[in-house]
Amino acid sequence: MISPVDPTGTPAWTRLTALADDFAPDLREAFAADPGRAQRLSLTAGELFVDLSKNLVDDQILAALVELGEQVGLADRRDAMFAGERINVTENRAVLHTALRRPRTDSLIVDGVDVVADVHEVLDRVYAFADSVRSGAWKGVTGKPIATVVNIGIGGSDLGPVMVYEALLPYVQPGLSCRFVSNIDPTDVAEKTADLDPEATLFIIASKTFTTLETLTNARMARDWFLAALRESGVIDDSDAAAKDAISKHFVAVSTALDKVAAFGIDPANAFGFWDWVGGRYSVDSAVGTAVAVAIGPKNFAAFLDGFHAIDEHFVNAPLERNVPALMGLLNVWYVNFLGATSHAVLPYAQYLHRFAAYLQQLTMESNGKGVRSDGRPVTTATGEVFWGEPGTNGQHAFYQLIHQGTQLIPADFIAVATPAHPITDGGADVHELFLANFFAQTKALAFGKTADEVRAEGTAEPIVPARVFDGNRPTTSIMAPALTPSVVGQLIALYEHITFTQGVIWGINSFDQWGVELGKQLALQIAPAVAGDADALAAQDPSTANLVRYYLANRTRG
C-alpha cells in the first residue's frame, strides 16, 4: 500500500494557502486581460467539451493545484488502482470498476486471475439474457413475453440503474419498460406493482450477498404479490411445485450467493455475478446494470461501456495540466479547502438526466465523506462536499436565487447536449435553442453579474438598486456533448468517478469503503423489537429514542 501524503505538508499547499489569502476574484477583469482564457481553459475528454474558464482561478492557482496533485502522488495512486492493487485498505480489496469496461482484447491479471476475461464471461451471459427477453424468447409462466422489468436493489444497485435507464429512455425498446424498487417503505413495492400484469413481469433482485435487508424484504414482498396474483387468477395452484416453476420464469438475480439465490426460488443459472472489487456505487456497468441492458439492448449497453473506457483512457494518459477529471477534482479541493465551499451543485440542462444529481450524491458523499485517512489517522483537512441539484430550468425557479445572490460560495457544474432527443418547435421556434439560451445565460450571469451602475442605467429606483445587484464571480464549469447517447452517459459517469478519486487522493482518504452507513443499520436491528412492542427492548433505548417509539406505538393504526 502506498501511504497517504499529508497534503498540508506539501510546498504546493503552502503556496495555495498564500494565493488564497491574497485572492480577490474578478472574472470580468480576468477575461478582459486574457482574451484567450476561454479557449485556453476549454478541454476535451472523449466527446465531452469542458469549459473551465469561469472558475475562480488564475494561471498561478492552476499551476499550484497541478503541483499539489504531483506532490501527493496522484498519478501513482491512479496507476495503482488501474493495476488492481489493494488500495481499499480497510477491506483489503482491489478497486477495479475500470476493468468492467475494458475491451475484450485486454488482459489484466490480478491474484492469478484475468479479470477482464471474467468480466466478459458475465457480460456475455447478461447480453444473452437481455436478447432473450427483448426478442420474446423468454416467456412467463403463461407464455406471455415480458413487458415490465422490476429491478429491486438499494444504494448502488438502484441509483445507478434507475439514473441510466431514465437518461437513456429514447433507447428503450418499445413495449418494454423498467421500474425500480429500493425503499423498504412498503409503499414503494405496493405502488410499483399496483398496475402490473404478473404474467408479463420479470423481477431482478440485485444484492451481491443476497442478504441486504431492504432488498430481500422488498424481494419477498414482490414474490408474495406475484404468487398471490397468479393464484387469485387461477394461473397456478397452491402447490410448492407450481410456485417454484412460476418464480423460476419471473425472478432472476444479480448476486454471487448462489445458495441463497436458490433458497429464494431463483434458478442459480439465472444469477449474474460480480466481484468484491466492485463497490456498489461503482457497479452500474457490471451485472448490476442488467435491467438497463435488457431495456436498451446489448449493442447500446456496449456503447455505454465504451464511453466509460474513453474517459478512463483520458484519465490515465492525459498530463495533469490537461486532464479533465483530475483538474475538476483539484478545483473542488481549491473550493473546499481554500475558499470555504461546503456544497457543489450539478445542474443538467437535459431532462433525461433528472436523476443524475441523486446518483452523484452516493458516488461523491459515500466515497469522500470521511474523517479518517487511509492509514487510520485523522484527516488534516476538510473533506467532502454536499452534492445536489435539479435539471434546468426547474432549478432556476427554485434555488438559483441562493447561488446568484446568497452568501455561500456554491461551485456549480452545468451539463447540456447540442442535439436533443425531441427537436420540437413552438410556433416555428426551436424549443431546445430557448432551453440552451438559459444554459448559456446562467453561467454568464453567475460569472459576470450586474453592477450597481448597470442596474441604475436601467432606470431602477435607488432604494432598490442593492437588491438588483449581482456580484458575479460565482464559479461554474460547463460540460457539453453532441447528444445524450449511451456512450456520453458512460463518459459523464466515469468523469465524476475520477473527479471523486482525485479528491480522495488529495485528502489521503479511502474513497472505496463506506463504514459510515453501517452503524445505523445495526441499531435498526436492535430497535426493531421495541418497535414491535417488546417492553424490555424499549426500556433499553435512550430517552429520546424511547419517546419516539412510544409515540409510534400510541398512534399506529392497523386495518
Side-chain angles (χ1 to χ4, degrees), residues 340-423:
T342 58
S343 79
H344 193 111
V346 179
L347 309 169
Y349 278 66
Q351 181 61 29
Y352 284 125
L353 287 174
H354 70 102
R355 293 289 298 169
F356 193 54
Y359 171 78
L360 291 182
Q361 286 173 349
Q362 186 196 21
L363 173 64
T364 59
M365 293 193 282
E366 195 170 82
S367 294
N368 288 343
K370 311 288 172 60
V372 176
R373 302 193 315 176
S374 59
D375 61 2
R377 299 179 183 180
V379 297
T380 58
T381 68
T383 65
E385 63 264 69
V386 175
F387 271 72
W388 57 283
E390 283 287 329
T393 54
N394 296 358
Q396 292 177 201
H397 293 270
F399 51 76
Y400 277 36
Q401 170 67 41
L402 176 68
I403 302 177
H404 278 285
Q405 291 185 309
T407 58
Q408 300 179 45
L409 178 70
I410 303 174
D413 298 342
F414 283 72
I415 303 170
V417 297
T419 304
H422 304 286

Side-chain angles (χ1 to χ4, degrees), residues 204-233:
I204 299 175
I205 314 302
S207 172
K208 184 187 296 185
T209 61
F210 224 69
T211 59
T212 309
L213 174 65
E214 296 90 343
T215 299
L216 270 294
T217 301
N218 282 327
R220 289 189 294 269
M221 288 192 289
R223 183 181 61 186
D224 290 346
W225 167 85
F226 170 73
L227 293 175
L230 292 184
R231 286 166 178 155
E232 183 178 353
S233 63

Side-chain angles (χ1 to χ4, degrees), residues 347-351 392-393 396 414-420 430-444 478-482:
L347 309 169
Y349 278 66
Q351 181 61 29
T393 54
Q396 292 177 201
F414 283 72
I415 303 170
V417 297
T419 304
D430 186 320
V431 177
H432 188 65
E433 291 180 357
L434 175 61
F435 188 40
L436 285 203
N438 279 273
F439 168 82
F440 298 127
Q442 289 298 325
T443 60
K444 181 175 183 176
S478 296
I479 303 168
M480 299 193 72

Side-chain angles (χ1 to χ4, degrees), residues 525-541 546 549-550 552-553 558:
L525 294 175
Q526 296 173 17
I527 295 170
V531 179
D534 185 308
D536 291 338
L538 182 59
Q541 304 306 318
V549 172
R550 289 190 190 99
Y552 161 76
L553 293 171
R558 301 178 188 271

Side-chain angles (χ1 to χ4, degrees), residues 179 190-197 225:
R179 298 184 184 186
E191 289 291 338
K192 298 292 173 55
T193 59
D195 60 346
L196 291 181
D197 176 2
W225 167 85

Side-chain angles (χ1 to χ4, degrees), residues 102-120:
R102 291 180 68 153
R104 189 183 299 273
T105 52
D106 278 6
S107 177
L108 177 62
I109 307 300
V110 177
D111 296 332
V113 176
D114 187 341
V115 297
V116 177
D118 280 1
V119 164
H120 282 276

